[in-house]
Amino acid sequence: MLEGETGETAEGRERFLKQATPLASLPDELLHLTADAMRPRDFATGERIVRAGEPGRALYVLVRGGAEVRVRTASGGTATVVRMGRGECFGEMSLLSGDDASADVVAGEAARCLVLEREAFEGLVREQPGLLRAFVRLVTRRLHTTTAAMATARE
């Protein structure tokens, strides 16, 4: 990890997001505004970051550590459907739709995320409608992969 990429400064957040994250394809102006609105947050191993059934409150991008997406199985157990690492994001679907989160996301190890809270996102979208289009593309791509993974895990 390069110095300044842990999220303490807007410049460091922007540099990180320009790397291999789903947000890297945003136009420079939108990426700059998004990075400026994000804040770093640390999660301990095992800490629940997102709870299934609760309203989506934010977009999270992993800066370090890892997270696991977990769903309830038909037998009442829990299954990990996806393990995520540096540069991957989650929370974007319920952030856009306003629907409840469809799965738990738990820190599989100590993790740091860049977090874009709903209020900040909505303010950015009011000022920059192009950001909404970019997020819709991101969600569409994610929906294809997530739907298949969750269906398999719930069997």
Side-chain angles (χ1 to χ4, degrees), residues 25-85:
S25 62
L26 287 175
D28 286 345
E29 179 184 2
L30 294 179
L31 187 68
H32 174 77
L33 292 169
T34 302
D36 193 46
M38 296 180 100
R39 296 294 174 259
R41 181 160 173 216
D42 295 321
F43 298 92
T45 302
E47 185 175 352
R48 191 174 316 220
I49 302 169
V50 173
R51 183 179 301 273
E54 291 187 355
R57 295 184 178 94
L59 165 74
Y60 302 83
V61 180
L62 278 159
V63 175
R64 68 171 175 245
E68 299 175 355
V69 178
R70 299 178 182 169
V71 297
R72 289 269 178 222
T73 63
S75 63
T78 302
T80 297
V81 293
V82 177
R83 286 185 170 81
M84 296 177 289

Side-chain angles (χ1 to χ4, degrees), residues 52-151:
E54 291 187 355
R57 295 184 178 94
L59 165 74
Y60 302 83
V61 180
L62 278 159
V63 175
R64 68 171 175 245
E68 299 175 355
V69 178
R70 299 178 182 169
V71 297
R72 289 269 178 222
T73 63
S75 63
T78 302
T80 297
V81 293
V82 177
R83 286 185 170 81
M84 296 177 289
R86 178 178 164 80
E88 294 185 88
C89 70
F90 54 94
E92 70 280 3
M93 286 195 260
S94 53
L95 179 67
L96 277 176
S97 69
D99 292 340
D100 293 344
S102 58
D104 289 335
V105 180
V106 177
E109 59 186 280
R112 170 167 280 194
C113 294
L114 296 181
V115 181
L116 180 62
E117 299 287 346
R118 175 178 296 285
E119 297 78 22
F121 175 73
E122 290 174 349
L124 286 172
V125 167
R126 274 193 300 277
E127 295 175 21
Q128 299 289 332
L131 184 63
L132 184 58
R133 285 190 298 278
F135 270 78
V136 167
R137 284 192 298 274
L138 172 65
V139 167
T140 301
R141 286 191 297 267
R142 175 65 61 107
L143 189 57
H144 292 294
T145 57
T146 301
T147 302
M150 289 180 68

Side-chain angles (χ1 to χ4, degrees), residues 4-22:
E5 286 183 354
T6 56
E8 287 85 8
T9 67
E11 294 80 16
R13 293 188 295 271
E14 186 172 355
R15 259 193 318 277
F16 174 75
L17 293 173
K18 279 185 181 180
Q19 295 176 7
T21 73

